[in-house]
C-alpha cells in the first residue's frame, strides 16, 4: 500500500497519535480541548496525501526542493492557518516544529507496521533521513526563535520601564486639572480625559508585559490573601465606569463571597470582561455582573445584550492578540491590544479555575468564571 492511500485509510489512527503528542506540551496544552489540539491536522494530512499523488515535472520538483513553488492563494493553506492559531494559542516555534516531526514520524511508523517486510528497510531509511533533516531544521529554527525572543524581551523591558515615568506625569497632570473647584468645567473634563488616557496606556503596557511573561512559560503569579469579591465587583465597575461613562452597569451578589484569592488579579479579570462587554454590547442595554458564592466555588458572570459572537470565533476568543470585528453602528474606539480575554483566562487558570463563554441572540453574550475555594 502506498503512503498516500495509507494516510487516507488510517486518518483517525494518525490523528489519535497527533492528539497524544500535542497534549504533552505542558501548560499551553492543558488549557486546550481535543478539538483545539487537533486543529487543522486532518486537512494537513489530506494535503500531504493529495500532493504525493500529484504528478510533478522535473522543474516542479526542483522548485519545491528550493522552496520556490507557488504559495496557496491568499496564504490560507491548512498549515498556514494552523501556524497562526498555534502562535495565538501560545505554542512556541519549537513546539510547532515538534508537532510536524511527530506527525511525520507517526505516519512512517504506522505505515511501516502495516506493510510487508519488503518495505521495512525502505521505510526505515526514509524515517532516518526525515529525522535528520527535521533535526537540522529544528536546531536552526530554535536558534532563530531564541534570538527573536531575546530581542522581544529587551524591547518589552525598555517599553515597560521607560514609559512608566511619562505615564505617571501624565496621570498626575490629569489629577491636577480635574480637581473640584480648581478650574472651570471645560478644563476639568480635559483633566478627566487625560487621566483616562493615562490609565488606558498604563493598562496596555501591563498587558504587554504579562503577554511576554506567559509566552516565556512563566505564567501569571498570584498571591492569595483573604478578600471579599463583593468589594472586587464594586471596584471593577467603578474602574470600568471611568473608561465607559456612557455604559450602564448592574452588580448582583449572592452567598458567601469571602475567600483566599489574588484580589488585584481578580479585579483585573472582571475589569477586562466588563470592558469587553461595554465595547461590544448594545450601548443602550445594561451590562449585568453576577457574583454568586457556592459551597465549593464562586461563580462570576458578565452578561451583555447585543449581536451574538459568531460561532466560528468562539474557539479562539481567549487567544492573545485576538479582537472581535466591530459591530455595525458601534463607533466606540478600541482601547486595547486584544489581550484582555487572554489575560483573564491566564489569571483564572492560575487560580485553578475555568472560564467559558456562550453567545446567542436570545440570552446575549455571557462570560462565566468558576473559582474553586481551595
Amino acid at each position: 500500500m502506498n503512503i498516500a492511500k495509507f494516510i487516507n485509510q488510517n486518518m483517525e489512527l494518525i490523528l489519535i497519535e497527533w492528539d497524544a503528542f500535542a497534549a504533552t506540551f505542558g501548560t499551553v496544552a492543558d488549557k486546550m480541548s481535543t478539538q483545539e489540539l487537533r486543529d487543522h491536522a486532518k486537512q494537513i494530512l489530506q494535503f500531504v496525501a493529495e500532493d504525493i499523488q500529484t504528478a510533478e515535472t522535473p522543474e516542479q520538483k526542483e522548485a519545491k526542493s528550493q522552496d520556490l513553488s507557488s504559495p496557496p492563494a491568499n496564504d490560507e493553506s491548512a498549515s498556514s492557518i494552523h501556524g497562526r492559531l498555534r502562535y495565538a494559542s501560545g505554542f512556541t516555534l519549537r513546539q510547532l516544529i515538534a508537532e510536524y516531526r511527530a506527525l511525520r514520524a507517526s505516519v512512517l511508523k504506522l505505515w511501516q507496521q502495516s506493510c510487508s517486510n519488503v518495505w521495512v528497510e525502505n521505510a526505515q531509511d526514509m524515517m532516518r533521513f526525515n529525522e535528520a533533516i527535521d533535526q537540522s531544521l529544528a536546531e536552526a529554527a530554535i536558534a532563530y526563535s531564541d534570538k527573536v525572543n531575546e530581542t522581544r524581551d529587551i524591547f518589552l523591558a525598555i517599553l515597560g520601564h521607560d514609559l512608566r515615568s511619562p505615564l505617571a506625569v501624565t496621570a498626575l497632570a490629569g489629577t491636577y486639572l480635574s480637581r473640584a473647584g480648581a478650574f472651570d468645567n471645560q478644563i476639568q473634563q480635559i483633566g478627566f480625559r487625560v487621566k483616562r488616557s493615562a490609565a488606558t496606556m498604563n493598562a496596555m503596557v501591563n498587558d504587554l508585559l504579562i503577554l511576554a511573561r506567559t509566552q516565556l512559560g512563566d505564567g501569571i503569579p498570584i498571591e492569595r490573601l483573604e478578600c471579599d469579591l463583593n468589594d472586587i465587583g464594586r471596584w471593577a465597575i467603578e474602574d470600568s465606569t471611568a473608561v465607559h461613562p456612557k455604559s450602564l452597569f448592574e452588580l448582583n451578589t449572592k452567598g458567601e463571597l469571602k475567600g483566599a484569592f489574588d484580589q488585584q488579579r481578580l479585579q483585573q479579570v472582571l475589569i477586562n470582561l466588563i470592558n469587553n462587554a461595554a465595547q461590544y454590547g448594545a450601548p443602550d442595554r445594561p451590562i449585568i455582573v453576577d457574583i454568586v458564592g457556592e459551597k465549593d466555588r464562586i461563580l462570576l458572570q458578565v452578561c451583555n445584550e447585543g449581536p451574538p459572537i459568531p460561532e466560528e470565533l468562539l474557539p479562539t476568543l481567549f487567544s492573545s492578540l485576538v479582537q472581535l470585528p466591530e459591530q455595525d453602528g458601534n463607533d466606540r474606539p478600541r482601547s486595547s491590544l486584544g489581550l484582555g480575554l487572554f489575560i483573564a483566562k491566564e489569571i483564572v487558570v492560575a487560580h485553578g479555575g475555568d472560564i467559558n463563554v456562550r453567545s446567542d441572540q436570545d440570552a446575549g453574550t455571557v462570560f462565566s468564571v468558576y473559582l474553586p475555594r481551595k
Side-chain angles (χ1 to χ4, degrees):
M1 181 187 302
N2 66 50
I3 194 168
K5 185 176 181 181
F6 172 80
I7 290 173
N8 287 323
Q9 291 185 0
N10 296 271
M11 185 72 70
E12 187 59 28
L13 183 62
I14 298 169
L15 292 175
I16 290 173
E17 290 220 351
W18 169 287
D19 295 341
F21 181 77
T24 64
F25 287 147
T27 303
V28 67
D30 291 342
K31 299 177 287 184
M32 300 176 69
S33 65
T34 300
Q35 182 180 359
E36 290 172 319
L37 285 173
R38 184 168 292 193
D39 195 21
H40 287 75
K42 183 176 182 180
Q43 291 91 327
I44 292 171
L45 285 168
Q46 290 172 336
F47 166 78
V48 170
E50 181 180 355
D51 186 73
I52 292 172
Q53 298 179 92
T54 302
E56 291 182 332
T57 65
E59 292 76 17
Q60 289 173 325
K61 292 180 180 180
E62 179 69 16
K64 181 182 289 185
S65 69
Q66 299 179 22
D67 197 26
L68 300 176
S69 54
S70 300
N74 299 324
D75 195 31
E76 285 297 316
S77 69
S79 291
S80 297
I81 299 172
H82 177 75
R84 289 198 295 272
L85 290 179
R86 281 299 193 248
Y87 174 80
S89 297
F91 277 58
T92 64
L93 181 59
R94 184 196 302 259
Q95 291 170 329
L96 178 64
I97 293 173
E99 277 191 306
Y100 279 86
R101 294 183 63 197
L103 181 63
R104 182 179 294 178
S106 296
V107 171
L108 291 175
K109 179 191 71 174
L110 295 171
W111 180 46
Q112 175 183 323
Q113 292 172 353
S114 72
C115 294
S116 59
N117 290 334
V118 70
W119 287 98
V120 171
E121 183 176 352
N122 292 339
Q124 184 66 27
D125 289 344
M126 186 182 299
M127 184 181 298
R128 294 295 301 273
F129 170 77
N130 286 332
E131 287 176 349
I133 293 296
D134 284 342
Q135 182 63 39
S136 178
L137 170 62
E139 291 174 358
I142 289 167
Y144 174 85
S145 179
D146 288 343
K147 195 63 181 178
V148 171
N149 289 339
E150 179 185 342
T151 304
R152 180 196 63 193
D153 296 339
I154 293 173
F155 167 75
L156 288 174
I158 293 173
L159 177 68
H161 180 270
D162 290 359
L163 281 182
R164 297 294 185 184
S165 294
L167 281 176
V169 173
T170 303
L172 184 60
T175 300
Y176 176 76
L177 294 175
S178 59
R179 289 183 306 163
F183 301 97
D184 61 36
N185 184 65
Q186 185 176 5
I187 298 298
Q188 281 187 322
Q189 292 304 313
I190 293 175
F192 287 129
R193 286 196 292 270
V194 170
K195 286 177 61 178
R196 286 198 297 268
S197 297
T200 299
M201 288 188 288
N202 188 62
M204 287 182 176
V205 172
N206 290 336
D207 287 351
L208 283 172
L209 295 177
I210 290 175
L211 175 64
R213 178 185 290 273
T214 56
Q215 292 293 313
L216 291 172
D218 295 337
I220 296 180
I222 63 170
E223 182 179 2
R224 291 181 180 270
L225 296 172
E226 281 296 319
C227 59
D228 190 335
L229 270 76
N230 184 46
D231 294 333
I232 293 175
R234 289 190 294 102
W235 296 333
I237 287 180
E238 288 175 4
D239 287 351
S240 297
T241 300
V243 179
H244 301 279
K246 296 182 180 180
S247 296
L248 305 174
F249 302 100
E250 180 180 321
L251 175 64
N252 303 312
T253 60
K254 179 181 178 182
E256 177 56 58
L257 300 181
K258 294 182 179 179
F261 304 102
D262 190 315
Q263 176 178 296
Q264 183 177 1
R265 293 299 189 190
L266 288 187
Q267 186 175 340
Q268 185 177 11
V269 169
L270 271 178
I271 289 173
N272 288 355
L273 295 180
I274 294 171
N275 286 344
N276 183 80
Q279 179 71 36
Y280 297 103
D284 57 340
R285 302 298 300 164
I287 294 161
I288 310 298
V289 180
D290 293 322
I291 307 178
V292 180
E294 301 176 352
K295 179 180 179 181
D296 298 321
R297 67 181 185 178
I298 292 180
L299 168 64
L300 296 84
Q301 285 190 325
V302 177
C303 175
N304 67 269
E305 299 182 37
I309 300 172
E311 186 175 355
E312 65 271 15
L313 296 180
L314 292 177
T316 61
L317 207 57
F318 295 102
S319 301
S320 59
L321 303 176
V322 171
Q323 289 184 321
L324 293 174
E326 291 288 356
Q327 304 292 350
D328 292 339
N330 186 348
D331 58 354
R332 286 167 290 182
R334 292 189 184 275
S335 58
S336 72
L337 299 171
L339 294 173
L341 296 180
F342 167 77
I343 291 173
K345 181 173 182 177
E346 291 291 322
I347 295 173
V348 171
V349 170
H351 278 84
D354 189 27
I355 183 172
N356 59 57
V357 59
R358 67 180 188 273
S359 185
D360 57 57
Q361 191 66 50
D362 295 329
T365 298
V366 181
F367 285 88
S368 300
V369 174
Y370 302 91
L371 299 171
R373 291 189 181 274
K374 295 184 180 180

